[in-house]
Amino acid sequence: MATYKIAVLPGDGIGQEVTPEARKVLQLVAKATGLGLEFETALIGGSAIDAAGTPLPPATLALCQGAHAILFGAVGGPKWDNLPQEQRPERGLLGIRKELDLFANLRPATCFPMLVDASPLKRSVVEGTDIMVIRELTGGLYFGEPRGREEFADGSARAVNTMAYSSREIERVARAAFDVAMKRRKRLASVDKANVLVVSQLWREVVTRVGKDYPQVQPEHVLVDNCAMALVHKATHFGTNVTEDTFGQLLSDEAAILAGSMGMLPSASLGGKGGRLGLFEPVHGTAPDIAGQGVANPIAAILSASMLLRYSLDRGPDGDRIDAAVLRVLEQGHRTRDIHSAGTKLVGTIEMGDLICREVEKSY
Ligand code: NAD
């Protein structure tokens, strides 16, 4: 069986606490299945600034370039907040995304049945939610040219950003989205603003063309404003959604509310090597308010490891076992502090990781 190299970049704050738990689960899967996984850890973000003077040391980038997948924690914290933009911890993550050409961001929003009441939305809206929001990461409004600001003699100013896409950029994210939809409920909503924006009309045209190669998937085109509304009143309508960068940022944050806590949300950024190289990370940050206390919820990181198996190593059934193990541990009533409520059992980061490992082990 092939051996896969996994770059492990815990980063800062609770990244250093939750990433080892995700790695522990992957090691267990490797042991149970004979899958060859080779782990190598490297510095990134604030801890790399402290040790090597830069948020993305060349050795870390080289490790990522040679890896099959990257397991990432989170970067940043108050200690480095006053550094100039170019030297801040976030530059480490942005640098990897750029160098590895990670062009599609995947954020699932799944409502766990036992956490329905943790969502501020009604049970009837959130129950059964299982959406994957895919956001293009390299073009669109954030990176389109021309962009900039001009100042005028009369004291006024003008600023410009441009939402721009080439058909190639749309096609590769559309293919990634159809591939993902094939691994889930075969339903794809392409979200745009084609009634107003010419860039969205091109987006729609290309997605329609790519869709012809995926006759098993049921595609639809949805206007972004309609999608924003539908997410909070008929979320279960959606399976996989694909959209432009800015639209995707807004919609994936909105969808996150459906899932309850920050500590439960995994993500993946795919690209490089024909869309198979991926960076897998929890959506949350370094949580300086709880870092070092052993109370962080490792579930987002562990579900990111499940995505790593599914999307970079094509080991979907192993990912399913991890997802099911998380569900079982929650069903048994174990909770970290962020999702704890009366009548449930409070556990710390490592204990939650151990409980999930035990359930994964039992499943083989
Ligand atoms: P955050 O996600 O770190 O924390 C927000 C709140 O959620 C905090 O109260 C925190 O305690 C809680 N929380 C987050 N994850 C949790 C978990 N796993 N278990 C339990 N509780 C959890 O966001 P923030 O406070 O805005 O940012 C803190 C730092 O993280 C900043 O420096 C920010 O730049 C950085 N950040 C990094 C990333 C990344 O590396 N991808 C993403 C977001 C924020």
Side-chain angles (χ1 to χ4, degrees):
M1 201 179 281
T3 294
Y4 297 101
K5 186 162 200 167
I6 312 295
V8 182
L9 313 183
D12 309 316
I14 63 165
Q16 297 191 0
E17 299 170 51
V18 296
T19 316
E21 299 310 306
R23 174 184 169 153
K24 208 158 83 179
V25 174
L26 287 176
Q27 274 168 325
L28 190 70
V29 170
K31 197 172 128 210
T33 60
L35 177 69
L37 295 184
E38 206 178 87
F39 297 91
E40 196 173 330
T41 301
L43 291 168
I44 185 121
S47 43
I49 294 174
D50 289 352
T54 166
L56 180 56
T60 301
L61 182 58
L63 172 67
C64 293
Q65 282 165 331
H68 291 92
I70 303 156
L71 187 63
F72 190 93
V75 291
K79 184 175 175 192
W80 305 281
D81 274 353
N82 295 324
L83 290 173
Q85 275 296 335
E86 282 309 305
Q87 294 164 27
R88 289 173 58 130
E90 297 82 334
R91 286 283 141 191
L93 178 56
L94 295 174
I96 291 187
R97 282 196 179 143
K98 183 163 176 282
E99 293 297 329
L100 301 186
D101 198 19
L102 301 177
F103 61 82
N105 180 258
L106 277 59
R107 269 178 62 173
T110 308
C111 177
F112 291 90
M114 62 296 289
L115 298 180
V116 165
D117 298 320
S119 172
L121 298 171
K122 280 189 198 144
R123 173 177 281 268
S124 59
V125 172
V126 293
E127 205 159 35
T129 298
D130 183 16
I131 306 172
M132 178 73 80
V133 180
I134 302 181
R135 161 185 162 210
E136 204 288 332
L137 273 186
T138 62
L141 191 57
Y142 288 173
F143 298 102
E145 298 283 347
R147 66 211 299 261
R149 175 178 164 137
E150 39 181 344
E151 311 289 335
F152 300 110
D154 66 359
S156 65
R158 183 171 178 269
V160 179
N161 285 96
T162 307
M163 188 185 284
Y165 273 119
S166 69
S167 51
R168 262 175 223 273
E169 286 171 321
I170 302 169
E171 176 163 348
R172 66 179 184 173
V173 74
R175 284 202 185 280
F178 277 103
D179 286 341
V180 168
M182 289 287 291
K183 294 186 179 178
R184 298 169 42 84
R185 200 150 56 98
K186 295 182 177 49
R187 205 184 170 99
L188 182 76
S190 169
V191 183
D192 61 40
K193 191 65 186 162
N195 55 342
V196 180
L197 302 176
V198 65
V199 59
S200 286
Q201 288 156 12
L202 178 65
W203 177 281
R204 212 172 251 220
E205 208 178 289
V206 175
V207 172
T208 304
R209 172 162 54 76
V210 171
K212 296 206 164 66
D213 294 339
Y214 296 84
Q216 308 90 326
V217 178
Q218 196 189 339
E220 64 172 335
H221 299 280
V222 185
L223 292 174
V224 62
D225 34 355
N226 288 344
C227 181
M229 265 196 297
L231 273 178
V232 285
H233 79 92
K234 49 172 186 173
T236 50
H237 169 79
F238 295 110
T240 303
N241 291 9
V242 62
T243 191
E244 181 267 348
D245 198 353
T246 325
F247 295 164
Q249 174 134 52
L250 302 177
L251 294 178
S252 55
D253 274 8
E254 188 188 355
I257 296 294
L258 302 163
S261 163
M262 284 292 272
M264 306 290 296
L265 295 168
S267 80
S269 298
L270 305 180
K273 300 181 182 168
R276 292 183 69 81
L277 175 61
L279 180 145
F280 300 84
E281 59 172 327
V283 167
H284 62 72
T286 54
D289 53 335
I290 57 165
Q293 299 174 23
V295 298
N297 186 346
I299 292 180
I302 290 170
L303 293 175
S304 301
S306 153
M307 292 184 82
L308 183 155
L309 288 167
R310 189 182 317 277
Y311 294 110
S312 268
L313 308 190
D314 210 11
R315 304 278 302 196
D318 295 309
D320 290 344
R321 286 174 197 263
I322 296 176
D323 297 354
V326 168
L327 261 180
R328 272 198 301 280
V329 169
L330 291 172
E331 269 161 13
Q332 291 156 8
H334 302 288
R335 302 280 190 279
T336 43
R337 202 168 70 183
D338 55 315
I339 51 174
H340 181 243
S341 58
T344 61
K345 291 170 242 164
L346 185 62
V347 297
T349 310
I350 294 176
E351 199 183 344
M352 180 58 96
D354 287 344
L355 287 162
I356 294 169
C357 279
R358 198 183 62 192
E359 288 301 325
V360 172
E361 196 166 23
K362 277 202 279 187
S363 77
Y364 283 100

